[in-house]
Amino acid sequence: MASRLIYGCMGLGGPWDAADYGPEEVSQAEEAVEAALALGITRFDHADIYGRGKSESVFGELLQGSPGLRARIQLQSKVGIRLGEGGGFGHYDLSAAAILDGVAGTLRRLRTDYLDLLLLHRPDPLLDPAEVGSALARLLADGAVRAVGVSNMSAAQMAALQDHLHVPLAADQLELSLHHHGFVDSTVLVNHPDGAATAFPHGTLEHCLRHGIEVQAWSPLAGGRYTGRHAAEPGSHDGAVAALVAELAAAKGTTPEAVVLGWLLRHPARIAPVIGSANPQRIAACADAEAVAGSMTREEWFALYQTARGRRIP
């Protein structure tokens, strides 16, 4: 059975600069991908801006060097962000031309004929739903993409776009983690004064559940905040969360990474975490995530949430 985990390829290809990648970056990417495959991960997440295109290019080298690999995996990528001078953020662009050009570039760099899933990377305030729908219909008809979805969009934005699509949206990729827990706050703080300060768009996960839209979580490990990658000071808020994560990991005979991911997987929205480490050891540390989710009690789940939140829920 394929893992619910997705491997995020944003760390492949070297620094986000204009320099080209070399054999070292190809070797690093190969080790990371092999570690992901060893966990049963078969989905790989890209974006045309990752590494300024190098992440897709180095992955394309792996596909070319392993002819049977493409048939064993699913590839998804994102378009819709234009980089500015020096490689920093420029602006959003979900015009038809940008979508079509972005996909063509992605397919060229990945050295493949199609994407299993195309995601629109960020909401574009100048987005014309009819224009986007027409561009996506063309890509689907041509076989360049097999399914379409979004990233960082609310329920209302997805509904407005869906009106102009002849296929259902397949996924919404959002920042969700034990640290970025607004998706839980938006649920438990309905009809409570603290709810006004919750930035997560209320009803988004419920919309996804109702319409069969997969919820994918980017940065699910929150940069290693609670798993030892960054040392948390004892007695600090992060230190308290990290200590509880470590305690549960020890009790379950697993890793802190598996506990943090298991907390997400325990949610009924069937969240699919996108893990982005390029370190094979950190990738391997995620192996027990689904087993942890299956064994995590309500008490453990709420203890993690309330510790991360820093105060009890109403």
Side-chain angles (χ1 to χ4, degrees):
M1 178 182 292
S3 171
R4 274 172 62 191
L5 301 180
I6 301 170
Y7 182 70
C9 300
M10 67 288 293
L12 305 184
W16 285 37
D17 57 25
D20 200 2
Y21 63 87
E24 183 177 349
E25 285 75 29
V26 175
S27 178
Q28 180 199 44
E30 185 174 19
E31 290 178 2
V33 170
E34 288 294 336
L37 290 170
L39 263 62
I41 293 175
T42 57
R43 291 193 288 171
F44 293 83
D45 176 76
H46 291 271
D48 58 354
I49 63 167
Y50 289 164
R52 297 175 69 173
K54 289 187 288 186
S55 298
E56 291 180 334
S57 293
V58 76
F59 200 95
E61 293 232 15
L62 300 185
L63 290 179
Q64 186 179 50
S66 181
L69 180 60
R70 180 65 182 96
R72 296 165 49 203
I73 65 173
Q74 292 180 304
L75 291 178
Q76 61 182 51
S77 194
K78 299 178 284 291
V79 298
I81 299 178
R82 297 281 196 181
L83 296 181
E85 187 175 347
F89 171 76
H91 59 272
Y92 302 132
D93 189 350
L94 287 176
S95 63
I99 292 171
L100 297 174
D101 290 347
V103 170
T106 284
L107 295 179
R108 182 177 64 252
R109 288 186 293 273
L110 287 173
R111 307 188 192 192
T112 188
D113 296 329
Y114 68 95
L115 291 174
D116 296 280
L117 175 62
L118 171 68
L119 302 176
L120 306 181
H121 205 159
R122 286 275 183 179
D124 174 4
L126 300 180
L127 177 153
D128 178 339
E131 180 184 2
V132 171
S134 177
L136 295 179
R138 176 174 167 183
L139 289 169
L140 288 161
D142 290 346
V145 303
R146 295 188 172 178
V148 296
V150 297
S151 182
N152 303 296
M153 286 197 185
S154 68
Q157 290 168 322
M158 285 186 281
L161 183 58
Q162 186 64 71
D163 287 343
H164 297 272
L165 297 176
H166 68 281
V167 298
L169 289 169
D172 187 12
Q173 192 175 115
L174 301 153
E175 185 177 10
L176 311 171
S177 68
L178 186 56
H179 173 64
H180 204 85
H181 50 71
F183 70 102
V184 185
D185 296 339
S186 72
T187 302
V188 301
L189 296 176
V190 170
N191 199 34
H192 188 277
D194 289 353
T198 300
F200 189 83
H202 183 69
T204 297
L205 296 196
E206 291 83 356
H207 177 88
C208 290
L209 273 170
R210 287 183 64 202
H211 296 279
I213 300 169
E214 180 183 54
V215 178
Q216 299 182 1
W218 61 268
S219 194
L221 293 170
R225 180 181 292 264
Y226 307 132
T227 58
R229 182 177 177 186
H230 302 292
E233 294 184 11
S236 68
H237 179 222
D238 281 358
V241 182
L244 180 55
V245 168
E247 178 185 327
L248 288 172
K252 295 177 181 295
T254 189
T255 63
E257 287 85 355
V259 171
V260 172
L261 293 175
W263 183 81
L264 274 178
L265 291 168
R266 177 72 167 78
H267 193 277
R270 291 194 56 78
I271 296 166
V274 182
I275 57 172
S277 176
N279 184 314
Q281 287 72 40
R282 291 193 180 276
I283 297 169
C286 301
D288 292 341
E290 291 181 79
V292 169
S295 69
M296 186 173 289
T297 66
R298 282 179 175 268
E299 290 78 10
E300 290 168 339
W301 193 92
F302 275 101
L304 285 166
Y305 167 58
Q306 292 189 153
T307 305
R309 188 169 182 264
R311 57 190 183 280
R312 295 189 64 81
I313 58 176

